[in-house]
Each structure stands twice: as structure tokens, then as C-alpha cells.
Amino acid sequence: MSDDDCIGAGNGLAKSSRGTVASLAATIFLSSLGGSVSNVGLPTLSSAFRISFPQAQWIVLAYFLAVISLIVNAGRLADSVSRQRLLLAGLLLFGLASIGAGAASSFWFLIAARTLQGMGGAIMLVLAIALVCDTVSPARLGGALGLLGAMSGLGTAAGPSLGGLLIAGFGWRALFLVNVPICIAIAWMVHRTVPRRRHATAAPWRPDWVGTVMLIVALCAYCYAATPESGRFAAGNLVALALAMAGAAGFVLVERRAADPLLRLEMLRDPSLCGNLGMSVIGSTVIMATLVVGPFYLVDGLKMTPAQAGLALSVGPVTSAVGGVPIGRLVDRLGIVPMSIAGLAIMAAGAAGLAVGEGIVGLPRFIGSLIVVMGGYGVFQIANNAAVMAKSSPATRGTFAGLMNLSRNIGLVTGASVMASIFSATAHTMAGQFPDALAAAHGLKTTFAVAAGLAALAAAVGLSSGAIPLFRRRENRRG
């Protein structure tokens, strides 16, 4: 699909492409909603299934692990088949898995359903970004990605607030069943508005099953290693960490020898691309701390109801949603470099706001810092996504979208495991026990002190790799 097919001569999108972009933005919203709607329900689900805090983390981890495991394959497949039909298949899988999660009678059945949800979410994420890049001219890609970022923020914001209301009114099963009518509506929109054409340079897709299995093993072992049962690392965690390192090494060896590898390692010879992906991992780690640690702090530390906690947690993502399109336009106008730096600096400042001070972190301070962290992440994510996709060609957009989402979701998994474990350990949360307000505040401050340091680390990675080339600013301006 050429730009001329989709872009009007004026300042906005051509009328023929507006419906396509709206459908794809709605797809991003659904995927974000599916990933965040259960977060505020973790304390409720812990009680319903009689599981500990570390076990409850796997309700979140199962979704993101599935996204990570399938997302590169989904990107490769998106470069080989009709992107519209693959997107519809992802929506169907997501909807069916949501029904399964809502009907779960055991913890492990719920985990299986969440895994299938994540597989559908992976397809949706990759295809939405690839199809937007097919539809929008490079000069306006920042604005379009800003819209997707806004819808991602809106879905993330709607998850906690909607989840709290659903639990209060209908019980925890409604957390997952709510996705079904939304999924049906978006599938209808995609069918009506997204072209069915296959990319002219598409190549046959040959799945790399060995590489996929090695990646899954490494990621699952990594998550288990970072999720100590009692807040302290034991022998099992060390064994899992060793298995994760061995799996990662095995994955690299397999990919080097594969005729059609899952991940072409030569793509990672570009230091600036590696820097962009590394920053994405770190930034997503920080933001997941707010989404996983936040509910436990508000419910168990400040003794709020799930509905109240969900409403409080929605404030930060709403900030990202409202600012998404204007931020995207600023990326087009000011350039990727200054917006990336600004976003990371704002994230660090917001995290530091939760890390300092004595006593309990009150609700006003929590909400204010959350707004700053989420706003900064919105700025950084849009600029960084534009930088990654600018390095792709029409024939590799699916693969690059897959890499971009892979890095983001590795960060989300890290945040859901490592950052939650830091909170658990420093708040003295033992299996089956919950911290008092002072202990929870101590855990929150420690967690976000680490988060502030990670935001600074992301900036260092960008500067050292050339992903944030301060002395080549003109080359990074768009339009």
C-alpha cells in the first residue's frame, strides 16, 4: 500500500483512511483494556482462588508472557499474509479467551485463558501498528502513533476504573466478560474499514518453532526467578534464573543457525535500534510498577475499596490518553530526540515524588506522582516508537512492530515480577499476609526509588547507543 493510496493532500488523513485508523485505534484500546482490567482485581482474585500475592501476579504475567511469546511470530506473519484477516483472527481468539477467563472455575484454568487472551492481544498490537504505518505518511506518523498511544492510555485507564465498578456490581467474572461485546464491535469495524490487500513484497511465512519454544522457556524461567514466593529469593529462584540464562543463550544459537529464524539477529547490529529497544524495556518496567504495585498499596495500605482504587489508578493513564495526539504532533514538530529526553526526565521526577518523604504516602501525593509518571511515559513512548518504526521498510513493518512490542512487553513482565517482588520484600509481605499502612508505604517508596533510577538508566542507554543522538538532531526531525 503506497502513501498515495491513503493520504490526502490536506493537513489531515484522507477520508478513506480515517475509518481505518479509527478501527486500529479501537483495537489498541481493547488490547490495553484486556491487559489492565484485571490489575485492580488482584486482591479480590487472591481471595477468590485462595492464592498468595506472588501467585496472583501470574494472572498478569500470563497475559504478557503470551504476548511476548507470540509477538515476533505475529510480526513475521503480518509481513506474509493479509493483515486484515490476521487482525480479525486475533480479535476472535481474544474474544473466545475472554469468555473462558470469565467462566474459569480454577486458578490454572484462569491462567490458561489469560494466556490465550495474550496471544490474541499480541496479534492485535502488531497488526494495528503495521497497518497504521501502511496507512499514514511518514510526515504524519508521529501524530498517528500519538492517537494509538492515546487509545492505549485510555484502555489502561479504563481497566482499573471499570474493573473496580464491575467487581462491585457483578463480581470478578465480569472483569473478563466485558471484553466480549467490545471485541465484537471492533471486529465489525475492522471488517468494514480495513483493506484486505496483502503487501506486494510479502514472503511466505515459515514458523521457527524451535526458536519460539526456546524463547518461551527463557521468559517463563525468568519470570519465575523474579517472583519469590515469600519475598525472599530461594534455591528455586536461582535455578530458574540459571535456566533463563541458558534458554536465552540457546535461543541466540538456534537463531544463528536457523534458515528462517524467528528473529534475524543482524537487525540488532544497529546500536541505535538496540538502544531504542533497551529504553523501551526499561520504561515499560517503570510504568508497570504503577499498575501492579499501585492496587495493593491502595487496597491494603490505604484501605480503599477496589472501586475507589480503580478510580484513583485511572487518573494517570487518562493523562496519557488526553495528551497522546498533541504529544504525537509535538514529536512531528520538535523531533524525536528532545521528546525522548523530556519523557524520561518527567518519568524520573514522578517516580522520585513517590520515593521521598517520611510516613504514609497519602492519596493526593500518590495521584499527583502517578500523573507525572504516566505523562512522562506517554511522551517517551510515542517518540521512541516513532524512532523504531522510522527504521523499518514497508516489507518489514510487521517485524519491526513485533520487536517494538516485544521490548515493551518484556518490560511489562519485568515490572510485574521484579518491581512487585521489591514491593513484596520491602513491605514484609509474607504468603497469605498483607502489610499495614506504614509497611506498604515503605515498600512503595523503595519500589519507586528503584523506578527513578531506572528512568535515569534508560537515558544513559539512549545516549550511549546513539538512540538519542544529541549532536545529530536534524536527522531525527520528522516532516
Side-chain angles (χ1 to χ4, degrees), residues 101-457:
S105 57
S106 69
F107 173 66
W108 291 110
F109 190 95
L110 176 60
I111 293 298
R114 286 287 284 171
T115 300
L116 292 176
Q117 260 193 320
M119 293 172 68
I123 297 172
M124 292 155 59
L125 283 170
V126 169
L127 269 295
I129 294 175
L131 283 163
V132 160
C133 291
D134 284 345
T135 303
V136 180
S137 68
R140 302 195 179 278
L141 183 57
L145 291 175
L147 175 61
L148 296 192
M151 294 306 291
S152 176
L154 186 60
T156 303
S161 55
L162 179 61
L165 294 174
L166 289 171
I167 290 174
F170 304 99
W172 66 264
R173 297 184 188 276
L175 291 172
F176 308 105
L177 296 177
V178 70
N179 295 321
V180 178
I182 303 174
C183 193
I184 293 172
I186 295 175
W188 179 82
M189 292 172 61
V190 169
H191 176 73
R192 291 292 303 270
T193 63
V194 177
R196 299 181 184 178
R197 64 178 69 177
R198 176 176 169 176
H199 200 281
T201 58
W205 176 65
R206 292 183 292 273
D208 176 13
W209 296 118
V210 176
T212 300
V213 170
M214 294 294 293
L215 179 63
I216 293 172
V217 168
L219 290 170
C220 288
Y222 166 69
C223 289
Y224 183 83
T227 313
E229 180 66 21
S230 61
R232 295 182 180 180
F233 288 94
N237 299 103
L238 297 177
V239 171
L241 181 60
L243 180 60
M245 295 174 65
F251 174 75
V252 171
L253 291 175
V254 167
E255 297 306 283
R256 283 181 175 176
R257 298 177 180 179
D260 192 15
L262 173 66
L263 177 61
R264 297 189 181 279
L265 299 178
E266 60 267 20
M267 295 174 62
L268 301 181
R269 292 175 182 171
D270 179 358
S272 66
L273 175 60
C274 292
N276 290 126
L277 299 177
M279 287 192 298
S280 179
V281 171
I282 298 170
S284 299
T285 298
V286 172
I287 211 63
M288 196 60 180
T290 67
L291 300 176
V292 173
V293 172
F296 277 90
Y297 177 73
L298 295 177
V299 173
D300 297 321
L302 298 186
K303 307 304 178 184
M304 299 174 66
T305 67
Q308 292 170 333
L311 184 62
L313 289 169
S314 69
V315 174
V318 164
T319 303
S320 297
V322 172
V325 173
I327 290 170
R329 290 174 178 169
L330 281 175
V331 171
D332 289 333
R333 178 182 292 271
L334 300 179
I336 291 168
V337 171
M339 296 298 283
S340 296
I341 295 174
L344 291 172
I346 294 169
M347 285 178 66
L354 287 173
V356 300
E358 299 292 334
I360 297 172
V361 177
L363 185 61
R365 178 178 159 195
F366 180 89
I367 291 178
S369 297
L370 183 64
I371 290 173
V372 176
V373 172
M374 293 296 293
Y377 179 71
V379 173
F380 161 74
Q381 183 188 30
I382 292 168
N384 197 56
N385 288 356
V388 173
M389 296 310 294
K391 295 177 171 69
S392 68
S393 67
T396 60
R397 281 172 181 160
T399 301
F400 272 74
L403 283 174
M404 186 173 69
N405 280 289
L406 174 65
S407 64
R408 177 176 179 269
N409 282 279
I410 287 176
L412 295 178
V413 166
T414 303
S417 53
V418 175
M419 302 298 276
S421 295
I422 293 173
F423 173 77
S424 177
T426 55
H428 308 293
T429 304
M430 304 299 289
Q433 299 178 347
F434 301 100
D436 60 25
L438 284 174
H442 177 65
L444 185 78
K445 292 173 185 177
T446 304
T447 303
F448 280 92
V450 174
L454 288 175
L457 175 62

